[in-house]
């Protein structure tokens, strides 16, 4: 008797895609990838979609809005970039893709990796622990300054200290702040200045610059010299946005050299000193609460990430962006077809234009008008000739013409012409119309016809 067949496990496509995605993400840690950006798309959602390629291969990438809003400047096609991200599977298309978490220009990638590696190593040793941070003296007896003797930093710091706290002298230890000779000189200054002068606080300062320009303050020897310094150290390196290893090792970081001078020198007004002390206590309290809240938030985020509640939203967002791009292309194609149909209709309309027929009809109408004008002219001339003949006939019948020959017209009292002598009585008034004027007469004798 044959053995029963083993039960088959049948997956739906979506289930298998989710299983593959989980396997890929669990098997591959977050990776750093370098390459060239191409086919960059930025839909209205704010997410980025592009291809990362080199000479032999390419990889689809997406960077969601909550990650790419911190990237400055935004990348463009052709940029060489360094990306940290997670390899994943996009189930809607079954494509492998790199979900980017961090993006930077490829040129500074090596320095930044060295910076992060040294930062992690020194932090793991406890070199940056908060309990090692020393309080600054409220009223320093003397202030040490380690910086270049030729830069603007020296003038800014000394001017600020003289304005805020002129009681404390300033001892300068000049050092180079850039180049290979800078780190050993800074280490020597941090060790020797507290021995040579009665300083109880020290400012390590430099103006702004590029990552390479500030690299002397990212050296391990400088960080260890700051922690080994006999007095508290304030780091004031570059601008507010510049961050160095020295900032983490120092007892206090100031955003600028001028700010460091303001922090180390108390204000003369006592109430401002008390307010500054209260502010420092409040900041430390808030910092501890913020750290606790950050740890709690990190734990919640880890739980949330484990349950993948936002992954489907990311997939839906990516699918929505894909549909939006397809819709835009479909609308463009529809508009192009409508334009082509409109152009064809305009050409047909021009071929069916009535203008040629109107011109031919106008020429025919002009010819008929000329012929009609000639006919009317001939008829008018004939009418004028007939009128002249009629005028001649009327002139011969005009009674005025008879009067001009010496005749008269007799009218009775009612103005009727008299043609019979028997119709008038003796003594009746009679008017005689002459060619010029009239005569009023009375009948005295009647001679009837035949007498």
């Amino acid at each position: 008797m044959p053995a029963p067949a083993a039960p088959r496990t049948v997956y739906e496509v979506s289930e298998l895609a989710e299983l593959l995605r989980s396997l890929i993400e669990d098997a591959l840690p977050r990776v750093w990838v370098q390459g060239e950006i191409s086919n960059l798309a930025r839909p209205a959602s704010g997410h980025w979609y592009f291809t990362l390629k080199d000479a032999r291969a390419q990889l689809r990438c997406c960077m969601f809005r909550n990650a790419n809003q911190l990237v400055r400047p935004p990348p463009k096609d052709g940029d060489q970039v360094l990306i940290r991200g997670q390899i994943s599977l996009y189930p809607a298309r079954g494509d492998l893709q790199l979900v980017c978490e961090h993006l930077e220009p490829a040129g500074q990638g090596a320095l930044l990796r060295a910076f992060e590696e040294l930062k992690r190593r020194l932090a793991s040793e406890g070199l940056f622990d908060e309990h090692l941070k020393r309080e600054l003296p409220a009223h320093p007896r003397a202030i040490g300054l380690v910086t270049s003797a030729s830069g603007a930093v020296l003038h800014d710091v000394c001017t600020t200290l003289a304005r805020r706290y002129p009681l404390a002298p300033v001892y300068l230890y000049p050092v180079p702040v850039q180049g290979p000779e800078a780190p050993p000189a800074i280490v020597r200054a941090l060790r020797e200045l507290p021995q040579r002068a009665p300083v109880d606080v020290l400012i390590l300062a430099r103006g702004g610059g590029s990552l390479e320009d500030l690299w002397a303050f990212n050296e391990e020897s400088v960080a260890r010299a700051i922690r080994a310094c006999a007095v508290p150290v304030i780091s004031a390196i570059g601008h507010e946005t510049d961050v160095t290893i020295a900032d983490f090792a120092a007892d206090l970081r100031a955003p600028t050299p001028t700010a460091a001078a303001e922090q180390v020198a108390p204000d003369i007004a006592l109430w401002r000193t008390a307010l500054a002390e209260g502010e420092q206590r409040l900041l430390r309290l808030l910092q501890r609460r913020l750290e606790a809240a950050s740890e709690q938030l990190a734990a919640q985020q880890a739980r949330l990430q484990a349950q993948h509640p936002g992954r489907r939203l990311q997939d839906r967002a990516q699918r929505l962006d894909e549909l939006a791009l397809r819709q835009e292309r479909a609308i463009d194609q529809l508009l192009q077809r409508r334009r082509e149909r409109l152009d064809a209709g305009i050409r047909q309309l021009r071929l069916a234009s009535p203008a040629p027929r109107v011109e031919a009809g106008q020429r025919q109408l002009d010819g008929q008008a000329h012929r009609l004008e000639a006919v009317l002219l001939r008829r008018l001339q004939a009418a004028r000739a007939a009128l002249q003949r009629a005028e001649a006939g009327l002139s011969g019948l005009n009674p005025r013409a008879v009067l001009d020959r010496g005749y008269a017209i007799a009218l009775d009292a009612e103005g009727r012409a008299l043609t019979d002598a028997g119709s008038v009585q003796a003594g009746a008034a009679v008017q005689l119309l002459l060619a010029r004027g009239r005569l009023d007469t009375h009948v005295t004798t009647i001679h009837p016809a035949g007498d």
Side-chain angles (χ1 to χ4, degrees), residues 122-129 132-133 220 223-224 227 248-249:
L122 295 180
S124 65
E125 294 179 12
L127 195 69
F128 305 154
D129 289 352
L132 298 178
K133 308 296 184 182
E220 180 178 353
R224 295 189 182 279
R227 295 302 334 142
F248 297 101

Side-chain angles (χ1 to χ4, degrees), residues 43 110 147 192 218 240 267 274 315:
T147 189
E192 295 179 358
N218 291 323
E240 185 171 359
D267 203 335
D315 293 343

Side-chain angles (χ1 to χ4, degrees), residues 19-267:
L19 177 60
L20 290 174
R21 178 161 68 179
S22 299
L23 291 175
I24 291 171
E25 293 180 352
D26 292 340
L28 296 176
R30 283 173 172 77
V31 294
W32 286 90
V33 185
Q34 180 174 336
E36 177 183 341
I37 287 182
S38 65
N39 300 323
L40 177 61
R42 297 188 181 94
S45 63
H47 308 319
W48 295 351
Y49 304 98
F50 56 91
T51 300
L52 192 67
K53 65 179 184 179
D54 60 14
R56 296 186 301 274
Q58 62 181 8
L59 179 64
R60 289 182 179 271
C61 301
C62 67
M63 192 169 191
F64 296 105
R65 181 175 58 185
N66 59 346
N68 67 40
Q69 62 186 355
L70 300 178
V71 178
R72 294 292 183 276
K76 61 184 182 299
D77 285 344
D79 284 355
Q80 289 288 336
V81 296
L82 187 64
I83 292 175
R84 184 186 72 239
Q86 172 72 55
I87 295 294
S88 182
L89 179 75
Y90 179 40
R93 287 199 307 263
D95 291 342
L96 281 175
Q97 65 179 6
L98 178 64
V99 180
C100 305
E101 299 172 349
H102 175 79
L103 185 149
E104 65 187 38
Q108 294 185 348
L111 288 178
L112 289 175
R113 287 196 298 274
F115 175 90
E116 293 295 337
E117 177 60 28
L118 179 59
K119 176 183 172 184
R120 283 193 297 269
R121 183 161 57 82
L122 295 180
S124 65
E125 294 179 12
L127 195 69
F128 305 154
D129 289 352
E130 285 296 323
H131 72 272
L132 298 178
K133 308 296 184 182
R134 295 165 289 190
E135 293 288 339
L136 302 182
H139 304 282
R141 295 169 299 171
I143 301 171
L145 177 60
V146 178
T147 189
S148 172
S150 60
V153 171
L154 176 61
H155 175 268
D156 294 341
V157 172
C158 291
T159 300
T160 303
L161 291 176
R163 172 175 54 84
R164 290 178 57 87
Y165 194 58
L167 300 177
V170 179
Y171 292 88
L172 171 66
Y173 197 119
V175 295
V177 293
Q178 183 175 339
E181 69 278 12
I186 295 172
V187 170
R188 186 167 53 252
L190 292 171
R191 182 181 64 252
E192 295 179 358
L193 183 56
Q195 300 173 357
R196 295 182 180 183
V199 297
D200 48 9
V201 66
L202 191 147
I203 298 175
L204 178 62
R206 187 205 189 281
S210 65
L211 181 62
E212 292 82 359
D213 295 337
L214 303 178
W215 195 252
F217 300 92
N218 291 323
E219 294 289 345
E220 180 178 353
S221 59
V222 173
R224 295 189 182 279
I226 290 174
R227 295 302 334 142
C229 186
V231 297
V233 177
I234 302 176
S235 69
I237 313 303
H239 302 296
E240 185 171 359
T241 56
D242 297 324
V243 179
T244 64
I245 297 296
D247 295 330
F248 297 101
D251 300 283
L252 181 66
R253 175 186 180 268
T256 62
T258 301
E262 293 176 349
Q263 290 174 333
V264 75
D267 203 335

